[in-house]
Amino acid sequence: MNDKLIIVSTRLPVSVSRVDGKLRFDSSAGGLATAIHSLKKSKDSVWVGWPGIASDDLTRSEKQQITTELQKRGCYPVFLTSDQVDAFYSGYSNSTLWPLFHYFPREATFVDDYWRAYQEVNALFTKTVLKFATRDSKIWVHDYQLMLVPRMIRTAQKDALIGFFLHTPFPSFEIFRLIPEREMLLEGLLGADMIGFHTYDYVHYFLTSIVKVLGHENSLGTIRIGDRLVHTDAFPIGIDYKKFENESKNRKVHAILKSFNVLRVKTKIILSVDRADYTKGIPARLDAFEQFLERYPQYVKKAVLLIIAVPSRGDVDAYRDLRATIEQKVSRINGRFATIDWSPITYRYQPVPFEELSALYRLADVMLVTPLRDGMNLVAKEYVASRSNHDGALVLSDMAGAAIELTDALLVNPNNTTQVADAIHDGLSMTRSEQHKRMKKMQARVAEYTIEKWAQDFITELKATKTRKNKTIKSLTEDQENELIQKYDNAEKRLILLDYDGTLKEFSSSPRSRRSEPTNKLRKMLKVLTQDKRNKVVIISGRKKNTLSSYFKDHNLGLIAEHGGWMFDLGRWISHSKNTPDWKNSIRPILKTFVARTPGSEFEEKDFSFVWHYRLVQPNLAYVRKEALKTKLKSALHSDEIGIFEGQKIIEVKPKRMNKGAAANKLARETKWDFILAIGDDYTDEDMFLALPHNAYTINVGMQDTNARFQLSNVDEVLRLLHAL
Ligand code: GDG
């Protein structure tokens, strides 16, 4: 099998730049690159992304050179013009989505051109992916810059296997709803088969936005979109543990450590390493350090803070402002506390080589990781992995995804300056044995779930969605359909039970809508079926008896209304159920109030039940009202015999014993049938499937978990089958 893996991310693991007029290729040995490398069992894998240089600066032959060079390294370029980089990357990605996903709505800008560029570039990425995608490819799209890609690929290739992973937090609904293009972004993601996040909180926030913005509910994290299932789960990213652990053997690292040790004799080292990003909380960290020096003056001249701030996204205003703020604070604190022979803060606004970073991790007595928000934060994990002596203390913000795994760190709220100041002190004064105990526990976790495991885990789960699809979806195969038709042909006594809405007819906006009426084609088909003397065809529905009568008055059909409450037999409607209006009197006012308060909702009273329809209600409101209604109904119903049921965009209150199961059972026992077929789509049809004999052909319409033996995707497929009969 051609098991090709296509990785799609904005940046490639190779970055192209121009130095002295010549193209230069630098590999970044980032964690993701290492992880993906471990997945690349076949040479057939490819990594699609932007090479980091604007295409307006490149000649045609240079582009060719880049493509050739990248292909040697398993990559393929998506070329972007400088305008596209500005509007798509610095613009929509980093000035709209990034601040909102990190709870900085005041930093977010909304510009139409940014959104246009975002769509355009997502389409460009998709086009490049499609060059490589075959039927058996696994496509793995990364991060917030490419949220539209899954759907775009799906549109072009219906059966593609697509995974998406978000490296940032997914914000709570109250933030997500601020995005003008929120619907399109979510729809874009739902093109994937598997959507991964760092933590369960993010999964939960995502699912909440899905139901509130698009109205799609989920079952244990799985969302049903038409005839597809979209899975969501948490996959906390790890690091290349061995790489950091083994650095202790690196001679370069030793040399750096040695030079530092001169300084270390007298001073404790507190380390801070991040991209210079406002989400990382560097100014607040400086305030906390200042307070630490105020509260614990014994550390003046005895401790230093080393700040490594790696320049990032310099063409976005907020980042330029941040640099100025950091530098003012550093200089103020140094000015306030420095002596001739000591300065409290050493500040570097530049990246450091990997060996030096490793040496610093080994050197630091306290690692200060206090982002205001962070999807995961790898620096915290890298520090843990580097402490081969099991000492040192990690002060970690509880706003970082990593806090969920590293519970033995000194966890702090980064906005609580005093708490952070105290935590620095606690870390410095912690006993060795306490440090060892905590560090070993954290090391065990980080060593266990490495970046390789993370990537393999994601891909395994992604592949499993395909198998799960085949398992949960019991699609009626061609052979099974032929067998069904043959059994039907050979049978003398046939019982055919058909649900109506969602089975023979697509749902319409309202139960009263004229569009709910059967089409002429459907009527004709039912007529042909009933004309055959060997058939007993029964429409078994939750609808009112008068509605069914008006829909099928001239037909020789059996009719069951209100899930079995009424049966049309020998030319008249009969009921074996007693109508007990008491409970209805107490429930009616509640439903009326909910209809009044919920624009778009409708309330239907039947002889034996009530239905609250919310198909037309704005999803966000529907979600809130539905939950509130269920709670209210539960407390108002005093009888165990009456149940509250959730169906396709409805809440129904009805006697529990009145269900299609009882009605179907009665019909099945009427005579000795040679062939039974039952088709339905909703929760009420499940009772019918369970009540029928094992050899009955039971068919669910849709993709949900079902007790039926087989499944068809939609109404058209049902009509096609009936036509074949
Ligand atoms: C995003 C999410 C999530 C930093 N300075 C230097 C340097 N680094 C390396 C670190 C680390 C990486 O950069 C930073 O990773 P983080 O996870 O801390 O932060 P983001 O860049 O914001 O990453 C984040 C991550 O994606 C993965 O999903 O954890 O939440 O925001 O590996 O070591 N490396 C070198 N010199 C430096 O000066 N060599």
Side-chain angles (χ1 to χ4, degrees):
M1 189 175 95
N2 181 358
D3 204 14
K4 186 190 283 187
L5 173 66
I6 304 171
I7 307 289
V8 195
S9 65
T10 309
R11 297 299 300 268
L12 287 170
V14 184
S15 176
V16 184
S17 56
R18 192 186 292 282
V19 179
D20 299 331
K22 279 205 179 131
L23 293 179
R24 191 171 122 173
F25 296 83
D26 290 304
S27 296
S28 88
L32 193 56
T34 322
I36 304 310
H37 189 73
S38 74
L39 288 170
K40 281 185 169 185
K41 293 200 183 87
S42 90
K43 274 197 189 141
D44 222 6
S45 302
V46 63
W47 191 322
V48 170
W50 176 52
I53 187 166
S55 61
D56 356 16
D57 294 343
L58 299 167
T59 62
R60 188 180 286 206
S61 79
E62 279 177 328
K63 279 191 191 169
Q64 190 50 52
Q65 185 194 343
I66 290 176
T67 308
T68 313
E69 191 58 39
L70 289 181
Q71 271 175 327
K72 283 189 214 153
R73 304 173 192 223
C75 299
Y76 195 87
V78 178
F79 289 110
L80 302 179
T81 64
S82 50
D83 285 348
Q84 282 171 330
V85 175
D86 283 349
F88 150 77
Y89 191 59
S90 305
Y92 199 78
S93 301
N94 290 335
S95 303
T96 307
L97 294 182
W98 176 270
L100 287 174
F101 280 21
H102 289 84
Y103 298 78
F104 282 83
R106 286 182 59 187
E107 300 294 350
T109 45
F110 303 104
V111 180
D112 286 349
D113 279 347
Y114 288 178
W115 170 242
R116 262 193 291 280
Y118 187 83
Q119 295 172 87
E120 183 183 298
V121 171
N122 273 248
L124 258 176
F125 270 77
T126 304
K127 206 171 139 197
T128 314
V129 171
L130 290 172
K131 276 190 196 172
F132 296 97
T134 61
R135 279 205 62 198
D136 296 313
S137 310
K138 302 177 291 270
I139 303 168
W140 191 6
V141 184
H142 288 265
D143 232 1
Y144 63 101
Q145 304 94 339
L146 302 174
M147 287 170 72
L148 304 179
V149 171
R151 183 179 174 168
M152 289 175 168
I153 299 176
R154 177 76 54 209
T155 309
Q157 260 197 29
K158 191 172 175 296
D159 293 325
L161 186 60
I162 309 169
F164 180 91
F165 189 83
L166 185 72
H167 290 262
T168 65
F170 192 93
S172 71
F173 173 67
E174 286 306 322
I175 291 281
F176 187 77
R177 68 190 302 194
L178 300 176
I179 305 174
E181 300 81 15
R182 58 194 181 190
E183 289 87 359
M184 273 88 88
L185 292 172
L186 294 180
E187 276 162 1
L189 288 181
L190 290 180
D193 296 290
M194 165 66 80
I195 307 175
F197 302 87
H198 286 310
T199 72
Y200 284 106
D201 275 350
Y202 307 156
V203 175
H204 170 69
Y205 297 151
F206 172 71
L207 292 173
T208 308
S209 282
I210 287 288
V211 70
K212 292 193 175 193
V213 177
L214 299 180
H216 301 306
E217 318 235 345
N218 74 86
S219 153
L220 297 173
T222 298
I223 308 154
R224 182 178 154 216
I225 308 291
D227 58 357
R228 291 194 315 111
L229 298 178
V230 181
H231 303 269
T232 58
D233 213 338
F235 302 86
I237 198 170
I239 57 164
D240 184 355
Y241 191 85
K242 284 255 151 5
K243 185 170 141 203
F244 286 89
E245 195 186 27
N246 290 342
E247 278 298 278
S248 56
K249 294 173 203 135
N250 184 332
R251 274 204 273 140
K252 266 198 200 161
V253 174
H254 272 286
I256 301 169
L257 274 175
K258 234 177 172 175
S259 67
F260 274 127
N261 269 344
V262 182
L263 164 105
R264 204 187 174 206
V265 181
K266 284 184 265 165
T267 39
K268 293 281 184 189
I269 292 179
I270 303 154
L271 178 65
S272 146
V273 178
D274 330 70
R275 269 188 313 102
D277 193 299
Y278 51 84
T279 62
K280 304 286 182 184
I282 303 172
R285 198 176 303 165
L286 287 164
D287 292 342
F289 181 67
E290 183 175 20
Q291 216 186 93
F292 159 76
L293 292 177
E294 281 166 7
R295 287 166 72 86
Y296 305 99
Q298 65 271 33
Y299 282 103
V300 169
K301 294 184 82 169
K302 296 277 166 45
V304 290
L305 172 63
L306 291 186
I307 294 213
I308 312 290
V310 181
S312 177
R313 306 175 190 173
D315 29 16
V316 176
D317 289 346
Y319 288 76
R320 280 194 291 266
D321 298 348
L322 173 75
R323 180 178 181 185
T325 309
I326 295 174
E327 292 179 357
Q328 273 166 15
K329 280 196 192 267
V330 167
S331 111
R332 197 178 46 74
I333 299 169
N334 274 344
R336 180 174 166 200
F337 290 96
T339 57
I340 292 288
D341 54 349
W342 175 79
S343 167
I345 302 173
T346 301
Y347 164 72
R348 283 171 71 174
Y349 183 73
Q350 50 185 274
V352 295
F354 179 69
E355 285 83 6
E356 193 172 331
L357 180 68
S358 267
L360 287 173
Y361 283 152
R362 261 150 234 285
L363 200 66
D365 300 286
V366 168
M367 182 79 215
L368 205 45
V369 183
T370 56
L372 302 178
R373 284 287 164 174
D374 216 335
M376 173 54 72
N377 193 291
L378 298 179
V379 167
K381 292 188 172 181
E382 291 166 2
Y383 175 69
V384 167
S386 306
R387 307 300 299 182
S388 359
N389 295 336
H390 319 297
D391 58 356
L394 171 66
V395 175
L396 177 61
S397 159
D398 61 11
M399 305 282 177
I404 290 178
E405 293 169 84
L406 304 180
T407 45
D408 286 283
L410 293 165
L411 293 179
V412 292
N413 177 342
N415 301 308
N416 187 337
T417 316
T418 309
Q419 194 189 27
V420 178
D422 288 348
I424 299 174
H425 173 257
D426 293 348
L428 290 176
S429 51
M430 194 184 279
T431 61
R432 273 280 151 117
S433 69
E434 176 70 13
Q435 288 189 345
H436 279 215
K437 204 173 85 196
R438 287 171 179 253
M439 195 55 80
K440 279 185 176 164
K441 277 203 207 156
M442 293 194 281
Q443 285 174 337
R445 165 70 203 176
V446 183
E448 162 66 26
Y449 202 72
T450 59
I451 182 126
E452 253 183 51
K453 282 239 178 80
W454 167 82
Q456 276 159 1
D457 203 13
F458 185 90
I459 293 294
T460 309
E461 286 300 313
L462 175 63
K463 285 203 271 188
T465 62
K466 219 176 192 177
T467 354
R468 239 181 280 167
K469 193 163 148 189
N470 296 338
K471 239 202 259 162
T472 47
I473 296 161
K474 311 165 178 174
S475 306
L476 185 72
T477 62
E478 212 178 310
D479 287 350
Q480 287 163 339
E481 184 173 324
N482 289 338
E483 191 190 291
L484 182 155
I485 294 173
Q486 201 181 17
K487 290 225 167 109
Y488 173 85
D489 284 342
N490 295 338
E492 286 302 317
K493 282 188 165 191
R494 310 163 180 147
L495 174 63
I496 301 173
L497 302 174
L498 303 170
D499 167 49
Y500 183 67
D501 295 277
T503 300
L504 296 178
K505 194 77 214 280
E506 296 288 2
F507 284 101
S508 57
S509 52
S510 150
R512 276 190 283 272
S513 159
R514 291 210 54 191
R515 285 214 224 125
S516 303
E517 289 177 17
T519 58
N520 286 338
K521 194 175 152 204
L522 174 60
R523 284 180 205 278
K524 249 191 223 152
M525 193 149 64
L526 291 171
K527 205 164 208 162
V528 174
L529 276 177
T530 49
Q531 270 165 358
D532 187 329
K533 291 278 174 297
R534 289 168 291 183
N535 290 348
K536 173 160 184 152
V537 186
V538 181
I539 302 288
I540 179 164
S541 161
R543 289 244 180 195
K544 293 185 197 177
K545 64 181 192 319
N546 295 347
T547 313
L548 290 188
S549 290
S550 72
Y551 283 1
F552 301 108
K553 50 180 178 287
D554 307 326
H555 290 69
N556 193 16
L557 282 165
L559 299 177
I560 289 179
E562 295 205 29
H563 312 297
W566 289 103
M567 254 186 204
F568 190 71
D569 205 13
L570 304 170
R572 67 195 174 100
W573 284 100
I574 51 166
S575 175
H576 298 292
S577 305
K578 267 206 312 263
N579 201 350
T580 45
D582 304 0
W583 69 268
K584 287 176 82 184
N585 291 338
S586 59
I587 295 298
R588 192 179 294 108
I590 300 179
L591 285 161
K592 284 196 168 159
T593 316
F594 269 77
V595 170
R597 283 196 205 147
T598 319
S601 78
E602 256 183 84
F603 138 72
E604 188 186 6
E605 178 161 358
K606 306 185 198 174
D607 292 331
F608 300 102
S609 66
F610 284 122
V611 186
W612 184 67
H613 296 263
Y614 61 89
R615 188 167 293 272
L616 289 184
V617 179
Q618 187 232 334
N620 178 21
L621 185 63
Y623 175 79
V624 177
R625 288 284 197 271
K626 184 183 70 156
E627 295 306 312
L629 177 60
K630 283 196 306 197
T631 315
K632 199 92 197 212
L633 289 173
K634 263 184 219 153
S635 63
L637 279 170
H638 299 295
S639 160
D640 278 351
E641 290 173 14
I642 310 298
I644 303 162
F645 302 90
E646 264 195 81
Q648 309 270 21
K649 306 276 180 195
I650 57 141
I651 299 277
E652 179 152 27
V653 194
K654 70 174 178 69
K656 288 181 187 161
R657 73 191 144 72
M658 191 180 295
N659 65 60
K660 289 187 183 178
N665 189 23
K666 194 161 176 296
L667 286 165
R669 285 157 180 266
E670 239 174 35
T671 183
K672 198 173 172 331
W673 304 102
D674 308 326
F675 173 90
I676 301 180
L677 170 66
I679 316 182
D681 73 307
D682 209 347
Y683 79 97
T684 55
D685 300 308
E686 295 299 315
D687 296 325
M688 162 167 83
F689 300 146
L690 283 174
L692 292 171
H694 292 306
N695 61 351
Y697 277 94
T698 48
I699 303 182
N700 159 262
V701 187
M703 307 284 283
Q704 65 269 51
D705 283 345
T706 178
N707 297 304
R709 289 172 58 204
F710 304 104
Q711 287 183 303
L712 289 172
S713 305
N714 50 42
V715 172
D716 287 344
E717 287 195 13
V718 176
L719 298 183
R720 194 191 42 72
L721 175 69
L722 293 179
H723 186 73
L725 294 181

